[in-house]
Amino acid sequence: SGLGRVGAASPVGMPPTSGRMSTGAAIRVPAHKPAQEPTDVLACVGSQRNSSSASPPAEITLTPTPHGPVCRVRQLRVATQRHGNACGYHCVHNLSLLLRGCEGLEQDLVDEQLVWDSIVSSMTLLKSEAKRTGRWLSQRLEDATADEQHIRFLVNALPDLKGRVTVIPALHSSAGGSVAKAIQELHLRGRTGGVGGSAAGAFGQSGTLTHGFILGATQHWVAALLVRRVSGDFELLLCDSSNKPMSMSEAAFHSVSQQANCDGLGQAEGAGDGVQVPERFLEGADMMFTGPAAEIDRADLEQKAAMLDECDRARFIRRLRTQKQWEHRPHEHLEQAFDDGVREYWRGKLKNSMWWRFQPKSIRRDLLAAELYAVRTYTKAIVDLALEQ
């Protein structure tokens, strides 16, 4: 995908980073407190859903805010991905919930049973299409991998998503144009009072406009929802099915690094004790932008990838211990496997370590750094273009 090449041409129409930047410069943004904080998009979900369907969209006048437009970036906590290949289905599910705006959204986003129901439903649609047209092989859907063609089909087939979601499979030369087109359409709906949440929106505020993104990040899919209000302010909500921090917020990574017991990033805070309810946003994953986002520091992302991987050590070892051949191995063998991975062979030949189920530490961290870079690049493009237009 070319994500690991330092100095490669900017995939979203922004200049590439030149040389190594300081860590602080990569994540600082101007301190700013708007005259009025953006409304919490989940606080009054679905309060006007019935009224929006009963009457035609009203014309909306978007007026500049006295303090200038603000874009807030936060990351929602969602149901944890339990199947290694199902991230694409999670994105479709999470955006369906957000764009539908039904009551109980906070609970639905972390409801794992609801996710599995959605995955089964989506796979049924894909299998029906395979049987009807032969566009893809039905048996290849059994491993729960959703490729670009599958995701595009689901976006067009599901009423909650059709015309309201942009799929960008990877960082490439047209990615910036796809983001710009989506934001232009969002602004156009605001000026014309068109369809797609422009009147009495699903987020409980008249005039809220929304547009979803499904973003390809190396071997992973991440969902994002851009919200624009009649005030002209924006909010970008990120959804990652592994619940690792994807925003530009340094505080989110600091929170992870300060955990007394890094017991796997996918587990929600308070999960397993039967009492606490997971927070709806990742701790510290909240940033406010009044201008262009800071340039991306690749060296800093490599450090963060190493930190996140180290925090996932306990979960890696637990997963490996569930394999029958590792069930009674000494603990030091599992620790060694965390560093070196578990070799796999095909027809007598050693497979490329990229495709091992338990990859070496160096491969895992390179992929994770590329994933963080991709999501930050998308985030920067969305924030910059939203505020610019």
Side-chain angles (χ1 to χ4, degrees):
S1 61
L3 294 179
R5 298 197 303 269
V6 178
S10 173
V12 292
M14 295 176 293
T17 55
S18 57
R20 180 169 178 170
M21 299 175 61
S22 66
T23 301
I27 50 86
R28 284 201 198 99
V29 294
H32 176 80
K33 287 190 176 180
Q36 182 179 357
E37 290 286 343
T39 306
D40 190 334
V41 297
L42 298 178
C44 45
V45 166
S47 63
Q48 302 184 35
R49 174 168 171 79
N50 294 331
S51 62
S52 63
S53 59
S55 58
E59 185 172 348
I60 297 165
T61 302
L62 294 172
T63 57
T65 56
H67 51 74
V70 172
C71 186
R72 187 178 192 178
V73 179
R74 292 195 285 180
Q75 183 172 341
L76 287 164
R77 189 179 296 281
V78 295
T80 302
Q81 178 182 332
R82 301 300 181 185
H83 190 290
N85 300 336
C87 52
Y89 291 107
H90 277 258
C91 288
V92 170
H93 170 72
N94 291 329
L95 281 180
S96 295
L97 290 177
L98 289 168
L99 289 169
R100 189 183 310 142
C102 55
E103 293 201 20
L105 177 59
E106 293 179 37
Q107 292 74 29
D108 289 348
L109 282 171
V110 295
D111 188 333
E112 294 193 16
Q113 181 60 54
L114 204 59
V115 172
W116 283 114
D117 291 344
S118 175
I119 291 174
V120 171
S121 177
S122 295
M123 290 180 67
T124 301
L125 281 175
L126 292 172
K127 288 183 177 181
S128 297
E129 179 69 7
K131 183 177 180 180
R132 187 178 68 87
T133 66
R135 292 172 63 180
W136 42 73
L137 296 177
S138 180
Q139 59 266 32
R140 296 218 175 151
L141 299 170
E142 297 296 337
D143 66 352
T145 299
D147 294 328
E148 178 189 356
Q149 59 178 341
H150 305 137
I151 291 177
R152 289 191 183 278
F153 171 79
L154 291 172
V155 166
N156 289 326
L158 298 175
D160 293 322
L161 303 184
K162 188 173 183 179
R164 304 179 66 188
V165 173
T166 297
V167 181
I168 305 179
L171 289 178
H172 48 64
S173 58
S174 63
S178 299
V179 172
K181 181 180 178 182
I183 294 175
Q184 286 174 351
E185 291 176 352
L186 193 69
H187 289 300
L188 181 62
R189 290 207 305 271
R191 290 194 296 270
T192 63
V195 296
S198 61
F203 292 91
Q205 183 188 19
S206 180
T208 297
L209 309 177
T210 56
H211 191 86
F213 296 88
I214 297 180
L215 308 169
T218 61
Q219 296 182 324
H220 191 47
W221 292 99
V222 176
L225 184 77
L226 181 63
V227 180
R228 185 186 182 183
R229 312 191 181 287
V230 289
S231 65
D233 286 333
F234 295 88
E235 181 160 8
L236 181 64
L237 299 173
L238 300 175
C239 298
D240 172 52
S241 53
S242 61
N243 284 315
K244 57 182 174 290
M246 284 292 189
S247 73
M248 298 182 181
S249 173
E250 185 78 5
F253 288 91
H254 179 73
S255 175
V256 172
S257 66
Q258 293 300 310
Q259 291 179 12
N261 179 19
C262 293
D263 198 24
L265 295 173
Q267 183 169 348
E269 295 177 3
D273 56 18
V275 178
Q276 297 182 18
V277 177
E279 293 292 335
R280 55 185 175 176
F281 294 101
L282 290 193
E283 183 180 354
D286 189 350
M287 296 191 74
M288 202 79 74
F289 294 88
T290 58
E295 295 298 330
I296 301 168
D297 184 350
R298 289 176 180 267
D300 179 54
L301 292 185
E302 291 174 0
Q303 295 175 9
K304 286 180 167 58
M307 183 268 289
L308 293 176
D309 183 63
E310 186 61 34
C311 282
D312 205 39
R313 178 186 291 268
R315 191 178 69 90
F316 180 98
I317 291 176
R318 283 202 310 271
R319 287 176 54 224
L320 189 55
R321 184 70 82 181
T322 62
Q323 307 299 304
K324 189 170 182 61
Q325 64 270 33
W326 289 86
E327 185 177 359
H328 301 290
R329 291 279 194 100
H331 184 73
E332 54 268 24
H333 288 196
L334 281 82
E335 291 285 351
Q336 189 65 39
F338 178 82
D339 293 334
D340 300 337
V342 178
R343 294 190 172 197
E344 295 183 19
Y345 296 85
W346 175 252
R347 295 182 178 178
K349 295 184 179 180
L350 181 66
K351 292 169 62 175
N352 188 303
S353 58
M354 173 75 74
W355 308 112
W356 297 355
R357 182 178 181 185
F358 296 94
Q359 298 168 324
K361 177 172 65 176
S362 59
I363 296 292
R364 293 196 310 270
R365 295 183 178 185
D366 284 348
L367 289 173
L368 184 52
E371 186 179 311
L372 292 173
Y373 172 76
V375 176
R376 287 201 176 190
T377 303
Y378 290 129
T379 301
K380 176 174 172 56
I382 294 171
V383 169
D384 291 356
L385 288 170
L387 293 177
E388 176 183 308
Q389 295 187 22

